[in-house]
């Protein structure tokens, strides 16, 4: 039943109440203008699958230089140091007083020679969604003075090149914004009317697409669709559109590779975690570990097609400053388990004052260092002398409570 509801909601969000094909959003840049990143050495055949992985990988000629997330504010010299496989220096946003939203912590490090450049990408944004107002039979127009904001974090682990990850880091949150624009007025209504959901188009019991939104009478009984279901449908549909856009660019040889995508959206008091690939997210709350994602690998390709979005209601708990949501690419999780991450959370945060906003960046750095290890004669080693991660490692630490977390 839930899958049917989600499918109907995704249809609702994507069609906007029309049965004709979706027009391209004017707010999304033409992807063909995106220059591909420097060609990369492909990863092994067991490389993770995610968005943009449906078409065969193809390496293209380099026309762009190595790039890192803009919020790192790296100088040309800093970019060179970040691209050094031998030193593997941990990179974090500069401590200039201008912090990421919610005082989010972030740290990353390049691989130990697995690929030419760091194929991970990251994005952290506050996104304003302007609603569209529609009248029956008339085209939709932007609504004035109304809108919503959502907070957005994304980790993108590229494979067979960094182009897809770089592209997704710039565009996926825009796709989510576009999918939410049709829902602004509904989401602002604390008690919206039930939606009439179609069964199979063209069969008895299905509704005319023009009657999808609103308290319309249908042949079939109406089913309640919550705000949460609508937001999930919007996120799922955005992932699909991003995947389709990436596939077009791969066919045109404008973007190489594919990428895993781990995304967090905070909207109206709830945290939505969506994952395609083997990056992972967990909540550490008062010592308790709450998994917030499921890994998808080539062996679970069928499940990959059913994007999992998990929801966490922040309003249901009184969080302390030590409660965090940890996002990491597989470079973190390959050598570190949930319990070790939780232990690091407790150890690092206990050394900082609760109102010290730099504590979350320090935690992200500790998690990266704990998986990277230190250089020894036989490679990068952990304290127990086991091999550290030779992969790119990227980590977000999002505080769920404490002063100023939600400002």
């Amino acid at each position: 039943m839930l899958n049917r509801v989600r499918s109907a909601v995704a249809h609702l969000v994507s069609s906007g109440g029309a049965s004709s094909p979706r027009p391209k959003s004017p707010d999304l840049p033409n992807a063909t203008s995106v220059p591909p990143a420097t060609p990369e050495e492909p990863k092994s055949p067991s490389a993770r699958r995610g968005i943009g992985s449906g078409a065969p990988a193809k390496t293209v000629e380099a026309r762009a230089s190595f790039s890192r997330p803009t919020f790192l504010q790296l100088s040309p010299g800093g970019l060179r140091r970040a691209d050094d496989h031998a030193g593997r220096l941990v990179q974090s946003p500069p401590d200039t007083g201008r912090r990421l939203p919610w005082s989010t912590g972030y740290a990353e490090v390049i691989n130990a020679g697995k690929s030419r450049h760091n194929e991970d990408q990251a994005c952290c944004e506050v996104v304003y969604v302007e609603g569209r107002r529609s009248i029956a039979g008339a085209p939709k127009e932007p609504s004035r003075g109304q809108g919503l904001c959502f907070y957005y974090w994304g980790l993108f682990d590229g494979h067979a090149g960094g182009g897809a990850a770089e592209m997704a880091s710039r565009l996926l949150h825009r796709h989510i914004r576009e999918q939410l624009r049709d829902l602004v007025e509904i989401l602002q209504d604390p008690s919206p009317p039930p939606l009439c959901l179609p069964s199979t188009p063209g069969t008895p019991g299905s509704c005319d697409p023009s009657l999808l939104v609103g308290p319309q009478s249908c042949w079939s009984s109406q089913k309640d669709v919550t705000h949460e279901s609508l937001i999930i449908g919007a996120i799922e549909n955005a992932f699909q559109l991003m995947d389709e856009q990436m596939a077009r660019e791969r066919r045109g040889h404008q973007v190489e590779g594919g990428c895993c995508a781990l995304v967090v959206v905070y909207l109206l008091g709830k945290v939505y975690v969506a994952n395609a690939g083997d990056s992972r997210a967990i909540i550490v709350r008062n010592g308790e570990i709450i998994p917030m994602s499921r890994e998808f690998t080539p062996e679970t390709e069928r499940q990959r097609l059913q994007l999992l979005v998990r929801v966490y209601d922040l309003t249901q708990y009184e969080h302390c400053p030590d409660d965090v949501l940890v996002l990491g690419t597989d470079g973190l999780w390959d050598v570190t388990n949930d319990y070790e991450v939780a232990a690091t959370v407790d150890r690092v945060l206990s050394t900082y004052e609760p109102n010290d906003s730099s504590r979350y960046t320090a935690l992200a750095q500790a998690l990266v260092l704990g998986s990277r290890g230190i250089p020894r004669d036989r490679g990068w080693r952990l304290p127990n002398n086991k091999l550290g991660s030779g992969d790119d490692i990227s980590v977000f630490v999002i505080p769920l409570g404490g002063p100023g977390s939600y400002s």
Side-chain angles (χ1 to χ4, degrees):
M1 177 65 71
L2 182 58
N3 287 335
R4 290 182 59 191
V5 171
R6 287 182 178 175
S7 298
V9 169
H11 173 77
L12 165 76
V13 174
S14 62
S15 65
S19 57
S20 58
R22 293 183 299 249
K24 181 177 178 181
S25 167
D27 293 331
L28 291 175
N30 185 349
T32 58
S33 65
V34 178
T38 308
E40 311 286 350
E41 300 173 10
K43 294 183 178 180
S44 65
S46 62
R48 289 89 58 210
R49 301 297 294 272
I51 58 175
S53 299
K58 189 160 188 173
T59 303
V60 298
E61 189 71 19
R63 291 195 296 271
S65 59
F66 171 67
S67 66
R68 300 312 309 139
T70 55
F71 58 73
L72 288 176
Q73 303 178 42
L74 295 178
S75 65
L79 279 172
R80 288 191 295 270
R81 290 187 291 273
D83 204 21
D84 179 13
H85 297 86
R88 298 189 74 189
L89 297 178
V90 175
Q91 308 295 324
S92 288
D95 189 9
T96 59
R98 183 182 177 185
R99 302 192 180 279
L100 295 178
W102 289 21
S103 296
T104 296
Y106 177 80
E108 68 171 40
V109 73
I110 195 172
N111 61 80
K114 187 176 182 179
S115 61
R116 183 177 176 185
H117 298 303
N118 189 337
E119 295 181 339
D120 285 359
Q121 286 291 341
C123 181
C124 183
E125 299 282 348
V126 181
V127 183
Y128 178 73
V129 186
E130 184 179 37
R132 277 192 285 255
R133 184 180 302 147
S134 62
I135 303 175
K140 296 185 177 182
E141 298 178 355
S143 60
R144 298 180 180 178
Q146 295 184 353
L148 296 170
C149 276
F150 67 86
Y151 292 81
Y152 172 91
W153 299 262
L155 289 180
F156 306 92
D157 183 358
H159 50 85
E166 193 275 337
M167 178 180 177
S169 71
R170 290 186 296 101
L171 299 183
L172 183 53
H173 60 287
R174 301 188 188 185
H175 279 295
I176 295 174
R177 179 191 65 193
E178 286 302 303
Q179 296 308 302
L180 289 173
R181 289 187 68 186
D182 294 311
L183 304 175
V184 167
E185 293 184 4
I186 297 175
L187 295 176
Q188 289 175 331
D189 187 345
S191 56
L195 303 180
C196 179
L197 299 178
S199 52
T200 303
T203 62
S206 64
C207 301
D208 188 307
S210 64
L211 303 179
L212 281 174
V213 180
Q216 308 288 347
S217 61
C218 297
W219 297 337
S220 62
S221 60
Q222 294 176 337
K223 299 179 178 63
D224 290 336
V225 176
T226 64
H227 287 167
E228 181 178 301
S229 297
L230 290 171
I231 295 170
I232 289 173
I235 294 172
E236 290 179 336
N237 203 50
F239 266 71
Q240 180 180 346
L241 291 171
M242 187 73 252
D243 193 59
E244 293 170 357
Q245 183 178 8
M246 205 171 288
R248 291 193 299 269
E249 295 311 299
R250 287 162 59 86
R251 287 194 295 270
H253 311 320
Q254 300 298 316
V255 170
E256 83 283 11
C259 71
C260 304
L262 174 61
V263 163
V264 171
V265 171
Y266 170 79
L267 177 60
L268 299 176
K270 295 183 179 181
V271 170
Y272 298 81
V273 180
N275 185 47
D278 60 355
S279 298
R280 288 206 297 117
I282 65 170
I283 283 176
V284 181
R285 185 187 71 197
N286 194 27
E288 178 187 7
I289 298 170
I290 305 172
M292 289 299 295
S293 66
R294 179 189 301 166
E295 294 181 55
F296 297 113
T297 65
E299 289 72 31
T300 59
E301 185 68 10
R302 183 176 180 181
Q303 290 95 325
R304 183 187 73 87
L305 301 177
Q306 301 171 354
L307 178 67
L308 178 68
V309 181
R310 292 193 171 174
V311 185
Y312 182 82
D313 191 342
L314 285 177
T315 66
Q316 297 299 308
Y317 305 93
E318 186 175 349
H319 295 92
C320 75
D322 291 354
D323 296 337
V324 294
L325 171 59
V326 177
L327 282 62
T329 55
D330 68 321
L332 172 72
W333 304 108
D334 283 346
V335 297
T336 306
N337 60 42
D338 294 354
Y339 301 99
E340 291 168 332
V341 167
T344 302
V345 169
D346 179 67
R347 173 176 58 83
V348 173
L349 295 185
S350 65
T351 64
Y352 286 82
E353 293 295 328
N355 61 352
D356 186 345
S357 55
S358 67
R359 65 205 310 259
Y360 306 111
T361 294
L363 174 54
Q365 293 170 343
L367 290 170
V368 169
L369 287 169
S371 291
R372 184 203 68 178
I374 59 175
R376 292 183 181 171
D377 293 339
R378 293 174 295 154
W380 294 84
R381 297 280 171 173
L382 304 178
N384 59 10
N385 206 36
K386 291 184 178 180
L387 280 174
S389 175
D391 202 352
D392 305 311
I393 310 172
S394 301
V395 172
F396 272 127
V397 175
I398 305 170
L400 300 180
S405 289
Y406 313 131
S407 61

